[in-house]
Amino acid sequence: MKKLSYYILDVFTHQPYKGNPLSVVWCDDELELSQYYNIAREFGYSETSFVRYSDAEKLLKVRSFTPGNYEVGGGGHNLLGAVSLALLKGWDIFNGQGDEHWVTMKNKKLPVVISEENGLILVSVKQQAAKNLGTISPEIVAPALGLETSDLELNNWKPTIMKTEVAHTIVPVKNRALLNQLYPTLISSKKFQKITALKGFTYSQPMFQRVTI
């Protein structure tokens, strides 16, 4: 079995064990699809990014997978963390690109901006404007989270599908205790995906935390 180097990062923070955790795996070549799935499932984070540098195209190529066997696009922490890692490791990923810097995510070319603030490397990418795609009945969402429909009753808010690069369902949860006990199983998540045609959801209670499946 081929050995791969991997790294664990905390994105959106400069403090250990804060922000969004991300696993990043360095690959010399493309892997089999089943390998991406299995490795992402093994790490168990919301997303695992796989990176490799293309000498022919002179850019960093990123692919990102969830534990639920779904490849994610966009420019969230999965991309920002991968680029940040490359810069922190001193990998020359922008060689030959000139003044504008690019990477690819899911084979889509994305411009990135690199800056520095107080000695910290900052990586930014422009996403599409957020779109509200409508609401989903709590009766559908609650079972996928292992909750009762009444547990999602908060300020008359409804589970809402929001999309930038990737669509997620934003789910209100009544209190912090319910939020902390959430642990959707792969089976319940797949049932939710089958009903809604969505590949993930974000659940939160105001001021506490954000988790993506």
Side-chain angles (χ1 to χ4, degrees), residues 1-111:
M1 179 179 292
K2 183 178 181 180
K3 293 184 178 181
L4 301 171
S5 298
Y6 70 88
Y7 306 84
I8 305 299
L9 293 84
D10 294 314
V11 187
F12 301 139
T13 183
H14 63 282
Q15 300 179 32
Y17 312 115
K18 303 291 185 180
N20 284 26
L22 175 72
S23 45
V24 180
V25 180
W26 174 265
C27 306
D28 293 325
D29 299 296
E30 287 282 357
L31 304 179
E32 297 291 333
L33 193 58
S34 61
Q35 292 178 296
Y36 289 119
Y37 292 162
N38 290 336
I39 294 172
R41 191 180 307 113
E42 181 76 12
F43 279 113
Y45 291 125
S46 60
E47 292 157 21
T48 293
S49 293
F50 299 81
V51 298
R52 67 183 183 90
Y53 183 78
S54 170
D55 290 312
E57 299 175 70
K58 295 189 181 300
L59 51 73
L60 186 73
K61 309 192 79 168
V62 184
R63 298 184 70 177
S64 187
F65 293 82
T66 74
N69 296 353
Y70 179 69
E71 183 171 7
V72 181
H77 79 290
N78 52 349
L79 176 66
L80 299 176
V83 176
S84 296
L85 171 67
L87 297 174
L88 290 170
K89 297 293 289 184
W91 300 338
D92 193 11
I93 61 173
F94 299 128
N95 180 36
Q97 290 192 7
D99 295 332
E100 295 185 345
H101 297 152
W102 302 83
V103 297
T104 64
M105 167 65 85
K106 200 178 177 181
N107 289 323
K108 180 179 180 181
K109 195 173 182 181
L110 297 173

